[in-house]
Amino acid sequence: MDEAVFSTWALRICLTVLIVFLGFIVWNLGKESQAGKFGMAMLFLVLGLGVFGFIFKEILINFLVLPK
């Protein structure tokens, strides 16, 4: 396994773990602050949009920029 393959796999695995951990942090924050259903939904929506934006950016780069 060369360095490029290792870096690709490590990035995908570590980012997945980081996103799951951030989801746990948001859930714990909402639970400890007693945010309620609406507050918890807003926390996940707003903070989840940041994760979605990062994933969407990577998809755009891979399909629009790199194939040229």
Side-chain angles (χ1 to χ4, degrees):
M1 178 183 308
D2 62 342
E3 191 269 334
V5 173
F6 176 76
S7 295
T8 302
W9 277 95
L11 180 68
R12 288 180 181 164
I13 292 170
C14 290
L15 278 179
T16 302
V17 169
L18 179 65
I19 290 170
V20 170
F21 183 63
L22 288 174
F24 170 74
I25 290 172
V26 171
W27 173 77
N28 195 25
L29 176 70
K31 187 178 109 179
E32 286 185 5
S33 67
Q34 299 174 353
K37 290 181 182 179
F38 181 73
M40 189 76 80
M42 287 297 110
L43 281 171
F44 275 105
L45 177 71
V46 171
L47 297 174
L49 283 175
V51 173
F52 176 74
F54 177 77
I55 294 170
F56 187 67
K57 178 191 71 142
E58 291 298 319
I59 291 170
L60 284 178
I61 288 172
N62 286 330
F63 287 114
L64 296 178
V65 176
L66 292 180
K68 291 181 182 177

